[in-house]
Amino acid sequence: MKEKDIRELLASREGITTLNPMQEKMLQAGSEKRDIILLSPTGSGKTVAFGVPLLKMLKDPTGRVQAIIIAPSRELVVQIAGVLRNIGGDYRVVALYGGHKVEDEINSLAVVPDIVVATPGRLLDHIKRRNIDVLPTRILVLDEFDKSLELGFEEDMSKIVRHMKNLSRIILTSATESATLPDFLPIKTPIILNFLEGNRQLKKRMRVREVRSDGKDKLETLLTLLRNISDETGPERTIIFVNHRESAERVYEFLRKRGVAATLYHGALDQRQRESALEAFNSGARPILVATDLAARGLDIQGVRNVVHYHLPLTPETYTHRNGRTARVTSEGDVYLLMGPDEELKEYMDVDSTFSLDSEANGSLDAGTEVLYISAGRREKLSKGDILGFITKECGVEGSEVGRINVFDHYSLVTVAREAADVIISTARQKKIKGEKRKVTPLDSI
C-alpha cells in the first residue's frame, strides 16, 4: 500500500494529519527490512506506529494471510482491528478473540483475510481447528508482548510461531524497558526504538495528591472528592481504581444510586458489557469509570483527566500503569490517593500535595446524556448512517443532539441528549430502522 494513500486515510478516517516523532521513526525503520523493537509509553500511538509500516510492507491482496498481530487483551484486539480497517484500504482485516461468537469468526475466515488481529489463545484454537492457515504469514507483530508474557501466554505464542515458517519481519512493542525477548522468536540484530523518555516527562504534567478519609469506608469521601473536582457542567473523565471485582460493584452501585454518571468495568463482565462500558465512558455519557486494574493497560481510553486510587495499588508497576491513564502525550492530569485512617503511603508514591476537601462543594456529577442500545449491528448490515438517518429523519431529532455512534457485531450504541432519548425510543416502537423493527432501549436497562 502506498504511503500517500495511508496518510490520506489516516487524515480522513482517524483525524491524524501529522505523525508524531515516534510514528515517523517507525515508518523509516519499516523500510530497512529488519526486525523492530519499539519501547514506548502506553497511549503514545503505538497502533498507528506499527500499523503504517505494516501496511507499506504488505503485497497486494493474495488470498493468503500476510500479517498477524497478537495482543494480550480482547479490547486491544478490537482497537487495533478498528484502526487497521479504517486505514487499510482494500486489505481485509479480521479480529479473533474470546467472548466473541466462534461461528461469526469462522464465517469471517471463510474469505481469507490479509491481516489477522488476535489474542493468543483464540488464534491457536483456530489454527488447531484448521480454520486458518498461518504458514504463508510474512509479518508478525506482538503488541505489548511484555504483558502477554506476564499473563502466561508464552506457551500459546510459542506454538503459534512454530506454525509460521515463512516469517520475514517481526515487530515487538512494549511499555517497559526491562522486558526480555522470548526465546521462541527468531529475532536477529533488531532495530530498537526507545521512546520511554515520555515516562520520565510524565511527572511534569501530572500532579499526585493525597486525600484523607476519616473512616475506613471511604465511599462518602469519594463522593465528596468527585463533587470537588467537578463543576456545574459535569465531571471530567475520571477513572476510579479498586483492587477487587466485588469492590468495583459496591462502589459503582453507591455512586449510581446517588445520580452519578458512572459505569463499571471488570473481568467478570461479558464482552458486550465491557464494550458498552468503554463506549459509554469514551462518549462522555458516563464520564466516571469504576474499574479494576484490567483498565490500567491495553484499552483505547482517551482524555482522562483524573485517576482516583480508591484502593492503594498492590505493586509499584500497578501504580505506574494506573497513573499512566492520565496526563498522556502532552495533556495534564491529576492523581488522587484516597487514604483511610490506618493507611500509609508506599515508598514509591511521590505526593505533590494534600488535597483539602470542601464538604459544601456541589459540582454536578450528571453528564446530561443517555446511551441507547439498538438490537442490531454490523452483522445485520446496520451502519452508522442508517442509525443517524433514522434519528434525524424519522424521530425529528437534530443532529447536534446526537453524539458518538458505535456499531458492533450484533448491536449498536448511540449517545444522545437525554431529552431526545424518550422520543427515539418511542418512535422505534412504531417505525422500522432500515426495514426492520429494532429494540431500542437505555443501555442501563439491558
Side-chain angles (χ1 to χ4, degrees):
M1 190 171 177
K2 293 181 180 179
E3 182 179 328
K4 175 177 175 290
D5 296 332
I6 300 171
R7 288 182 183 268
E8 287 178 355
L9 286 169
L10 271 173
S12 62
R13 301 283 185 84
E14 294 288 321
I16 299 173
T17 56
T18 305
L19 297 181
N20 66 34
M22 180 262 289
Q23 293 163 344
E24 289 285 3
K25 282 286 187 183
M26 279 291 288
L27 186 55
Q28 294 171 21
S31 302
E32 295 188 31
K33 297 184 179 180
R34 291 167 58 190
D35 297 329
I36 304 170
I37 298 175
L38 172 63
L39 306 175
S40 185
T42 300
S44 55
K46 288 199 294 292
T47 301
V48 170
F50 68 71
V52 172
L54 181 147
L55 291 170
K56 280 193 66 179
M57 294 173 195
L58 295 181
K59 299 177 181 178
D60 291 338
T62 61
R64 296 181 175 183
V65 178
Q66 297 193 54
I68 288 179
I69 302 165
I70 298 178
S73 71
R74 63 183 74 173
E75 289 81 7
L76 192 52
V77 165
V78 171
Q79 172 195 330
I80 294 168
V83 171
L84 291 179
R85 286 190 185 109
N86 276 344
I87 67 174
D90 294 332
Y91 292 112
R92 192 160 185 275
V93 181
V94 166
L96 310 174
Y97 53 90
H100 200 213
K101 287 187 177 180
V102 175
E103 295 80 6
D104 285 347
E105 294 185 348
I106 292 174
N107 290 336
S108 69
L109 291 168
V111 178
V112 179
D114 303 284
I115 304 170
V116 173
V117 189
T119 52
R122 182 54 68 95
L123 176 59
L124 183 59
D125 184 57
H126 281 292
I127 291 172
K128 289 178 177 177
R129 293 169 184 251
R130 299 189 177 181
N131 297 329
I132 184 173
D133 178 14
V134 300
L135 183 61
T137 304
R138 297 184 300 107
I139 305 164
L140 173 64
V141 179
L142 299 186
D143 192 26
E144 295 201 3
F145 78 91
D146 55 318
K147 187 179 180 186
S148 295
L149 300 184
E150 285 177 14
L151 296 177
F153 290 142
E154 185 168 5
E155 184 177 352
D156 284 350
M157 290 196 293
S158 176
K159 291 177 180 177
I160 291 167
V161 172
R162 280 189 223 129
H163 289 272
M164 302 168 74
K165 305 292 187 183
N166 293 297
L167 284 178
S168 59
R169 302 294 294 277
I170 296 175
I171 300 174
L172 305 182
T173 81
S174 173
T176 58
E177 198 165 1
S178 59
T180 55
L181 294 182
D183 293 333
F184 58 80
L185 289 176
I187 293 182
K188 297 179 181 178
T189 61
I191 298 170
I192 300 176
L193 301 178
N194 191 336
F195 287 85
L196 291 178
E197 175 64 26
N199 281 339
R200 291 180 275 274
Q201 295 295 323
L202 179 64
K203 182 61 180 171
K204 298 178 181 178
R205 305 190 311 274
M206 183 178 69
R207 291 163 295 279
V208 181
R209 296 169 173 176
E210 180 181 358
V211 182
R212 280 290 168 182
S213 174
D214 293 335
K216 291 183 179 179
D217 188 341
K218 299 180 280 191
L219 289 172
E220 291 293 344
T221 305
L222 173 64
L223 184 62
T224 302
L225 171 62
L226 293 176
R227 294 198 183 282
N228 271 255
I229 61 178
S230 303
D231 58 26
E232 67 279 358
T233 63
E236 294 186 271
R237 211 163 291 173
T238 300
I239 303 180
I240 301 166
F241 281 108
V242 298
N243 288 343
H244 310 288
R245 295 172 183 172
E246 296 79 9
S247 300
E249 298 274 0
R250 179 169 173 265
V251 172
Y252 166 70
E253 286 298 328
F254 172 85
L255 296 177
R256 187 182 63 84
K257 289 177 180 177
R258 284 151 184 81
V260 179
T263 190
L264 176 69
Y265 188 87
H266 60 64
L269 301 177
D270 63 31
Q271 180 65 16
R272 183 193 61 76
Q273 290 171 317
R274 287 160 71 168
E275 288 174 343
S276 299
L278 292 180
E279 176 59 20
F281 183 64
N282 280 328
S283 73
R286 301 288 185 272
I288 295 175
L289 180 69
V290 182
T292 59
D293 289 316
L294 186 65
R297 292 181 69 182
L299 299 183
D300 184 18
I301 297 175
Q302 304 297 325
V304 177
R305 173 68 196 199
N306 306 301
V307 165
V308 178
H309 298 270
Y310 183 81
H311 290 147
L312 296 184
L314 302 178
T315 67
E317 291 76 19
T318 301
Y319 179 67
T320 298
H321 289 308
R322 285 183 180 183
N323 291 353
R325 278 296 165 194
T326 190
R328 303 180 87 168
V329 190
T330 59
S331 303
E332 295 189 352
D334 294 297
V335 173
Y336 298 90
L337 296 162
L338 203 51
M339 308 290 295
D342 298 327
E343 290 182 306
E344 298 295 334
L345 293 171
K346 307 292 186 182
E347 65 277 3
Y348 50 82
M349 297 175 179
D350 187 10
V351 173
D352 296 309
S353 64
T354 298
F355 188 79
S356 299
L357 295 175
D358 177 4
S359 60
E360 303 298 320
N362 198 31
S364 173
L365 299 178
D366 179 13
T369 53
E370 184 59 82
V371 181
L372 297 181
Y373 169 94
I374 301 173
S375 62
R378 195 179 298 115
R379 298 283 178 177
E380 291 76 31
K381 308 300 182 183
L382 194 65
S383 70
K384 292 182 181 181
D386 296 328
I387 295 169
L388 181 60
F390 172 78
I391 293 173
T392 56
K393 295 175 183 176
E394 300 294 336
C395 304
V397 173
E398 294 292 331
S400 60
E401 295 185 274
V402 182
R404 279 173 53 130
I405 300 173
N406 207 331
V407 180
F408 297 90
D409 277 353
H410 294 290
Y411 72 98
S412 303
L413 299 176
V414 54
T415 300
V416 298
R418 183 169 293 125
E419 54 271 19
D422 289 341
V423 175
I424 297 168
I425 293 170
S426 176
T427 304
R429 295 193 189 105
Q430 310 298 325
K431 298 184 178 183
K432 296 178 180 180
I433 304 176
K434 200 180 181 181
E436 296 281 347
K437 279 290 188 69
R438 308 294 186 186
K439 179 181 178 182
V440 179
T441 186
L443 178 60
D444 290 346
S445 67
I446 297 297

